[in-house]
Amino acid sequence: MARIVGMVTTSHVPMIGKAIGAGLQQEPYWKPFFDGFDGVHDWLDRVKPDVAVVFYNDHGLNFFLDKLPTFAIGAAETYRNADEGWGLPAFSPFRGDPELSWHLIESLVADEFDMTTCQDMLVDHAFAIPMALLWPNASPWPVKTVPISVNTIQHPLPRAARCYALGQSVGRAIEAYPADLKVLIIGTGGLSHQLDGRRAGFINKEFDLMCLEKLVSSPLEIARYSIATLIEEAGSQGVEILMWLAARAALGESVRKVHMNYHIPISNTASGVLVLEPSES
Ligand code: DHB
Ligand code: FE
């Protein structure tokens, strides 16, 4: 049977892709951020996942405001990255796992999550940069992938509790998958940031640290927040913490913290990375 080996949640700021492309990981500005991934790499070397289910939010590359699904899932053999205008080096294509995708789709729809299914799907920086952070210089990528995109750009957004329930449903579906696979859950976005408007540059360290703590022990306390409160506390793009909630929910109730790093700022964003493993009790 398939087994969830753990979760990695991380920020996905486009500037990180620029820094990787230019080899700036040891520069004083970047070092505290990239050093935060050493613990992730050690853990990944140990658990060696076969496939990653990735909760992320597309920012207008694959979906735009004219057609924007609340929840979408990939069911393709391959996912390509493409130029979003950041001047980032293109990432090599990501392998899909259509069989696992269709199993998840069957299970999610039966569970009343009526997903948009994408047999052709471009993946943006929110998918590609975390992959490059988890597996630097990997060629080919060591895991197959299933992308799950959540709308965070055009209101109304799905409630935090709904994203949590989505994650729980994904977790149940994976545990019921007959293939003998080690599955990693990835969630990308956040932490607190606002890119535009009067509060551009807004960061809320106190709120972020509270979320990092509650995500481990009592994620339902975060899942109770309204979208308006999340935006007030974390900034209009800080609402991407929805992806962390969905990923956390897939793990089940009891988890063990493996690794965490929090660093301000990367560009104008509070960055974080968290690694959790499911635990028995
Ligand atoms: C930026 C873009 C993002 O998608 C994000 O999550 C954080 C920052 C940016 O444009 O700087
Ligand atoms: Fe983003």
Side-chain angles (χ1 to χ4, degrees):
M1 296 296 274
R3 184 167 57 88
I4 294 177
V5 291
M7 164 201 111
V8 181
T9 43
T10 171
S11 307
H12 63 217
V13 184
M15 273 261 290
I16 299 165
K18 281 242 187 196
I20 293 172
L24 303 180
Q25 291 90 334
Q26 294 306 310
E27 295 290 313
Y29 179 88
W30 289 103
K31 192 171 164 47
F33 171 77
F34 282 102
D35 282 357
F37 284 82
D38 291 348
V40 183
H41 301 150
D42 293 344
W43 180 76
L44 286 172
D45 281 347
R46 235 175 334 108
V47 300
K48 293 189 173 35
D50 302 301
V51 56
V53 174
V54 186
F55 292 98
Y56 76 109
N57 55 295
D58 182 271
H59 299 71
L61 180 69
N62 192 68
F63 305 114
F64 201 61
L65 304 179
D66 57 339
K67 300 179 199 72
L68 191 44
T70 301
F71 296 130
I73 179 167
E77 290 281 356
T78 304
Y79 302 98
R80 279 179 305 103
N81 178 229
D83 186 7
E84 294 173 65
W86 305 107
L88 298 184
F91 294 89
S92 58
F94 304 90
R95 281 183 298 154
D97 186 343
E99 212 174 306
L100 175 58
S101 288
W102 284 111
H103 167 80
L104 292 179
I105 292 162
E106 291 277 357
S107 183
L108 285 165
V109 174
D111 216 7
E112 300 182 0
F113 287 94
D114 302 322
M115 311 294 290
T116 297
T117 55
C118 304
Q119 298 184 66
D120 184 20
M121 190 179 194
L122 291 173
V123 287
D124 77 352
H125 69 274
F127 181 97
I129 285 175
M131 292 290 288
L133 284 169
L134 269 53
W135 293 283
N137 308 312
S139 181
W141 299 103
V143 290
K144 293 183 175 182
T145 59
V146 177
I148 299 181
S149 176
V150 176
N151 167 34
T152 62
I153 62 172
Q154 178 158 265
H155 292 263
L157 311 187
R159 287 181 306 126
R162 184 72 174 150
C163 295
Y164 193 82
L166 174 73
Q168 286 178 308
S169 188
V170 167
R172 286 193 297 270
I174 292 168
E175 300 288 351
Y177 190 55
D180 192 16
L181 283 182
K182 288 188 281 184
V183 182
L184 172 69
I185 309 291
I186 298 177
T188 94
L191 287 170
S192 61
H193 65 296
Q194 173 144 342
L195 300 175
D196 45 23
R198 268 182 298 147
R199 291 204 307 167
F202 174 79
I203 281 176
N204 187 345
K205 180 177 178 180
E206 202 182 324
F207 182 77
D208 288 339
L209 293 179
M210 185 274 290
C211 286
L212 284 167
E213 189 193 315
K214 299 280 187 205
L215 276 165
V216 182
S217 54
S218 44
L220 284 170
E221 288 185 43
I222 312 294
R224 275 204 295 267
Y225 284 111
S226 68
I227 292 295
T229 303
L230 283 177
I231 288 174
E232 206 172 297
E233 294 290 343
S236 53
Q237 282 78 34
V239 77
E240 291 175 344
I241 196 161
L242 292 175
M243 255 53 64
W244 292 50
L245 263 182
R248 169 63 185 86
L251 260 58
E253 249 172 65
S254 188
V255 297
R256 187 179 78 81
K257 180 154 88 176
V258 177
H259 176 75
M260 186 190 112
N261 189 49
Y262 181 76
H263 175 69
I264 298 174
I266 288 301
S267 184
N268 48 13
T269 301
S271 72
V273 60
L274 179 65
V275 182
L276 302 178
E277 276 180 348
S279 78
E280 293 308 312
S281 53

